[in-house]
Amino acid sequence: LISELHSIPTALNLTVNERTFDETFKAISLSTNLDIPNPSVFKFYQLNIANKQIQLSDITSFIRGSISKYVFSREEYRIRKEDDAYALDALEILNNAYSLEDKVTAFSEIMVYAFLEGVLKAPKIMSSIELKNNAGITSSKASSIHLLSNPTLPHSNKLVFGTAATKCTIVDAVKSVFEQITQIISNRKAEQQIIDRCILNSSFDPNTTAFIKNILKPNKYSNLTYDASFGIFIGYSIDTSEKANYSIDEFPKYIMK
């Protein structure tokens, strides 16, 4: 077991396409650290703007290119990507998992997966769909689960529970994600059982499975540990009804008010 541990990678690979992510979402300088004891940061992002129009086609293309890696487990994606129909299969699974009324929820959950990987650099362990498929009797309250390695403390890791909401106002979105966080905290034991079930169901290759096991279930041969944390995605609408009053150069500043 000791020699096996030495061959286990120290981090998971990201699954999101980082170049496409950076091209689609633009960071805004309003980002700020939160005044709380644990290290936390709140960042704002927007889509590209051209001719006073928010480029929604960019996010549509990004989601289409990300669906397969979002829907399938790491191991299932590795196997399926050789099949020409794997992208269509992923889209069908996604459509079947959410009713028409839940499409906004699906969007939010894909976004928190993408941002936790693209910004936080926390690789996915399981997406919302994987959590649902492995839930058993008790369903997960998380929108995704990721693992964040600490570069200054290589053997200390963060298990990041993703929460997400897209609402008409930022106030409603914030309320929704904090309700989810409260549910996850109350559901911690069940969340751990779901992760255990995913490991048993071969959601990962052998090396990744061993690495995750040694973090989540430390033994006398392992000095890996983890703490729980939360990653939040909030989407909300902005009023663009007065855009005719602004020039092309002024419009981006107007929507930031």
Side-chain angles (χ1 to χ4, degrees):
L1 180 58
I2 295 175
S3 61
E4 182 180 304
L5 278 172
H6 288 306
S7 66
I8 297 171
T10 57
L12 301 175
N13 293 325
L14 297 172
T15 61
V16 77
N17 186 316
E18 295 180 83
R19 179 184 60 80
T20 307
F21 180 91
D22 291 339
E23 290 173 352
T24 305
F25 304 101
K26 302 301 180 184
I28 298 172
S29 59
L30 289 176
S31 302
T32 181
N33 291 320
L34 301 181
D35 188 20
I36 57 179
N38 291 323
S40 301
V41 64
F42 199 88
K43 294 188 176 185
F44 288 86
Y45 284 77
Q46 69 177 36
L47 297 174
N48 294 312
I49 298 172
N51 297 317
K52 297 196 286 187
Q53 295 288 335
I54 297 173
Q55 302 300 293
L56 297 177
S57 59
D58 291 350
I59 198 169
T60 301
S61 297
F62 174 80
I63 290 174
R64 285 175 178 167
S66 305
I67 284 176
S68 298
K69 292 180 180 179
Y70 167 76
V71 166
F72 297 133
S73 70
R74 290 171 174 272
E75 183 65 2
E76 191 173 10
Y77 177 78
R78 184 186 67 80
I79 295 170
R80 282 179 176 260
K81 68 180 180 180
E82 304 301 329
D83 182 354
D84 292 339
Y86 80 96
L88 292 175
D89 291 343
L91 184 59
E92 182 178 0
I93 291 170
L94 187 68
N95 285 331
N96 290 338
Y98 298 92
S99 66
L100 186 60
E101 294 77 15
D102 287 338
K103 295 304 181 186
V104 173
T105 300
F107 166 80
S108 300
E109 292 176 345
I110 293 172
M111 287 296 97
V112 74
Y113 147 73
F115 273 85
L116 289 181
E117 287 216 342
V119 178
L120 192 60
K121 306 304 180 186
K124 178 192 80 164
I125 295 181
M126 282 167 288
S127 67
S128 177
I129 287 186
E130 292 174 76
L131 289 167
K132 288 180 175 69
N133 290 341
N134 288 278
I137 297 174
T138 305
S139 61
S140 173
K141 307 302 180 184
S143 297
S144 62
I145 299 179
H146 297 247
L147 187 67
L148 178 64
S149 298
N150 187 333
T152 59
L153 297 171
H155 298 295
S156 177
N157 302 273
K158 298 286 186 186
L159 193 64
V160 185
F161 292 90
T163 62
T166 301
K167 302 289 183 180
C168 290
T169 70
I170 190 171
V171 173
D172 288 340
V174 169
K175 286 181 179 178
S176 180
V177 294
F178 277 96
E179 286 172 2
Q180 293 174 48
I181 289 173
T182 300
Q183 291 175 338
I184 292 170
I185 292 172
S186 301
N187 201 48
R188 278 286 299 277
K189 185 175 180 179
E191 301 287 351
Q192 181 65 60
Q193 291 172 344
I194 293 169
I195 297 172
D196 293 344
R197 198 174 293 117
C198 277
I199 294 173
L200 291 174
N201 288 348
S202 301
S203 296
F204 313 98
D205 63 77
N207 273 351
T208 303
T209 297
F211 175 64
I212 294 174
K213 273 185 178 180
N214 279 283
I215 291 175
L216 303 183
K217 292 183 173 297
N219 56 66
K220 64 181 180 180
Y221 300 108
S222 172
N223 60 351
L224 299 176
T225 61
Y226 79 93
D227 296 309
S229 59
F230 297 94
I232 298 171
F233 171 83
I234 294 171
Y236 59 96
S237 301
I238 55 174
D239 182 10
T240 60
S241 59
E242 298 182 13
K243 67 179 181 180
N245 299 328
Y246 296 86
S247 69
I248 290 176
D249 292 334
E250 292 171 335
F251 181 69
K253 298 176 183 178
Y254 156 66
I255 66 172
M256 286 307 302
K257 291 182 179 179

